[in-house]
Amino acid sequence: MRRLRNDLPYAFRPPKPRAWFRPLGLLANRLYLQRKYAVNRLDDSGFDRVKELSRAGHAVLLAPNHADHSDPHVVTELIARHDMKSHFMAAREVFEVSKLGAFALESMGVYSVDRDGPDLSAIKTSITLLEKSSDPLVIYPEGEIYHHHERLDPLHEGVASILLKAAARMNGGKEAFLVPVGIRFHHDAAVEATFRDRLSRLEDRIGWTPRPALSIDERIVRLGTGLLGLKEMEHTGENGRGRIQDRLTSLCDALLSAAEGRHGRDPKSVTAPERVRAQRYRIRKRLLDAEKPPTAVERDELLDDLDRVFTALQAHSYIGDYFLAEQTLDRRAETIMKLEEDLLGFPNYPTPRTARVTAGEPIPVSKMLAAGELFAKGGATPLTALLEARLAALLA
């Protein structure tokens, strides 16, 4: 999860698949997986069924969990492994890194979405792709990267809503299927030898004297609690008390409530991620107001509010009992990676990892609509609940 201080106007980037570019894109994707993200092994199951549905001309929407920066590269590689092409919905920010990167993404069938507002272009593109194409469409229903592979964050209903709308427009025997995809990463045992030095760097980053003599687990908890205390002091003026999870929740709510007091609250936004998106939308709308531009002082305050909202999402993204409940090698590695991203800007991948990806049983959305098990209007909530249950089971 990276800091988003985005005050740039948004322009939709459509998919522009280029056949000549695909071999280059797949090669670059494979190199990224191995050299940047240290994913040296990729095991999969269930994708034969996805291929069967795609070859039969049906609409297939793949909905993976999203806990690692390499997830899109993993799924791209798997789809190519099974001799399929694909389309991806990706956050606008990845298109804004560089012009060359944006060109490469478009050429591989990726299109942008503004996660903070009603991006009608992205929604219409998704529906059209499902209606007209049988290549799998990949959308991540969690929306953000949280670095905990064994826990699922609440899903957005946008994925279900898009597929229901597309299903209502299909004819000629074409059916819509929603496929949960569980992605788990497993670290090589050699990663344990990297923990002490990486934790020392993180301790030094916040001004602490590194304590390599302490146990790894004690250092992780100590560092996480210390970072939480720093954020509490920065934003509330005092350290919280009680359980870590309660303190995280309180900090998140305090920051969002403060922003909502200045910019208004969307009554439909209930969960922390929904409230964050609503505030980012309102803040950016004011920042980009061409008719009545904000003053220099107001602009600085708006940008500060974007930082506060980002910190709220950071607090929400830490599950207080995730590491405390079970200190496995993978959970240690994931927690340290998350701390690295928050303190250093990007996580490290110092040793090989294995990605295990399972495509679950496809949910026959068209058949469920025809049988009255789902309804075109109001069906997004139960369909999202079903997807969430299926995804959670794949990660267990």
Side-chain angles (χ1 to χ4, degrees), residues 92-106:
R92 58 170 288 192
E93 289 80 15
V94 301
F95 286 83
E96 295 168 353
V97 174
S98 70
K99 291 182 178 180
L100 179 60
F103 174 83
L105 289 167
E106 290 178 347

Side-chain angles (χ1 to χ4, degrees), residues 236-258:
T236 70
E238 60 182 8
N239 283 328
R241 296 182 179 276
R243 296 189 316 129
I244 290 178
Q245 188 59 53
D246 293 335
R247 291 170 61 187
L248 288 166
T249 301
S250 295
L251 177 61
C252 177
D253 186 66
L255 290 168
L256 288 175
S257 295

